[in-house]
Amino acid sequence: SQQGEEDPQALSIQEGENATMNCSYKTSINNLQWYRQNSGRGLVHLILIRSNEREKHSGRLRVTLDTSKKSSSLLITASRAADTASYFCATAVFSSGNTPLVFGKGTRLSVIA
Amino acid sequence: GAVVSQHPSWVICKSGTSVKIECRSLDFQATTMFWYRQFPKQSLMLMATSNEGSKATYEQGVEKDKFLINHASLTLSTLTVTSAHPEDSSFYICSARRGLAINEQFFGPGTRLTVL
């Protein structure tokens, strides 16, 4: 089952611009993570934000979390052509000991040089 | 670091044959491993949760007799696609959880399966 819904589904920007991707989810979560996936490749973990955090930074990445709205955003500043990839949010819902990550539909980002 | 490998990285097989995909945690023990499937330009869909020494738990709509999962050791889980058909062509990704912390989940590089 999928929990997250990202928007936009596809985003095309010029190099140097900022890219903002949003993710909404349905149930209460323990944490929310963002991943990047280059075409046909595996996942690269970008950042994790816990449910009691509102904002987190890592390099050119800024993630926000609004648990009241069940939404998160990922901002990539000063984008580069190498940032071209699909970006997924994934949520962890703590239940019994097994807690898979549930992925959103993803945003395909194209950064044009 | 925590490294998860998958083998093979890609495989092409004929319709009706079976294919085994291995997922290994190289430098940690994984009591739980997860298998995901990803169709082109789509997201990852959880197929099953695999616990060492017990039967896998399959997500709704995933045929357990078609996708056989074995988690025989703390470092190895296998997914066997039995009697593969072209519609099984997909990218299969495993992840392994280290310990009980929810964020201690590490992903393999994926296996591209093409069924002719």
Side-chain angles (χ1 to χ4, degrees):
Chain A
S1 62
Q2 279 183 307
Q3 155 115 280
E5 294 272 344
E6 277 100 328
D7 77 272
Q9 291 189 2
L11 179 63
S12 184
I13 59 174
Q14 294 289 127
E15 204 168 30
E17 293 180 339
N18 295 341
T20 299
M21 289 159 270
N22 303 296
C23 166
S24 61
Y25 56 91
K26 298 174 184 174
T27 63
S28 296
I29 60 171
N30 182 282
N31 65 62
L32 185 144
Q33 303 180 50
W34 284 90
Y35 288 83
R36 184 183 73 214
Q37 184 182 38
N38 288 73
S39 181
R41 307 292 292 272
L43 296 173
V44 175
H45 183 262
L46 296 176
I47 197 165
L48 178 150
I49 186 165
R50 300 181 189 279
S51 59
N52 61 353
E53 297 176 309
R54 292 295 167 261
E55 189 171 310
K56 205 162 183 180
H57 297 254
S58 176
R60 293 185 297 115
L61 305 180
R62 173 177 169 254
V63 168
T64 64
L65 178 64
D66 187 335
T67 53
S68 66
K69 295 181 179 178
K70 291 187 169 59
S71 68
S72 173
S73 68
L74 170 67
L75 168 67
I76 304 175
T77 60
S79 64
R80 306 166 182 168
D83 294 328
T84 294
S86 290
Y87 291 82
F88 297 95
C89 69
T91 53
V93 180
F94 187 80
S95 53
S96 62
N98 297 326
T99 308
L101 289 177
V102 179
F103 286 83
K105 293 183 178 179
T107 294
R108 293 192 306 279
L109 173 66
S110 298
V111 181
I112 303 166
Chain B
V3 180
V4 177
S5 70
Q6 281 184 242
H7 179 78
S9 55
W10 59 270
V11 57
I12 301 172
C13 69
K14 292 183 179 179
S15 188
T17 61
S18 295
V19 175
K20 180 186 284 188
I21 302 170
E22 293 184 349
C23 176
R24 291 182 186 273
S25 55
L26 298 184
D27 50 2
F28 67 98
Q29 293 184 331
T31 53
T32 304
M33 289 184 173
F34 305 96
W35 286 96
Y36 295 83
R37 178 170 55 182
Q38 184 181 32
F39 292 109
K41 296 187 178 180
Q42 293 188 27
S43 186
L44 283 76
M45 297 295 293
L46 180 67
M47 297 176 68
T49 300
S50 168
N51 287 305
E52 185 264 340
S54 63
K55 291 184 179 180
T57 303
Y58 291 82
E59 293 298 296
Q60 194 172 15
V62 178
E63 300 174 58
K64 61 180 181 180
D65 294 330
K66 181 168 184 61
F67 298 99
L68 301 178
I69 292 172
N70 184 284
H71 193 159
S73 78
L74 287 172
T75 59
L76 173 65
S77 175
T78 60
L79 168 67
T80 301
V81 184
T82 62
S83 187
H85 288 101
E87 56 265 32
D88 298 324
S89 298
S90 187
F91 195 53
Y92 292 87
I93 302 175
C94 73
S95 69
R97 205 170 90 196
R98 179 175 67 184
L100 296 176
I102 293 171
N103 56 318
E104 290 279 280
Q105 193 170 141
F106 303 94
F107 285 84
T111 296
R112 172 78 57 197
L113 170 64
T114 302
V115 185
L116 302 177

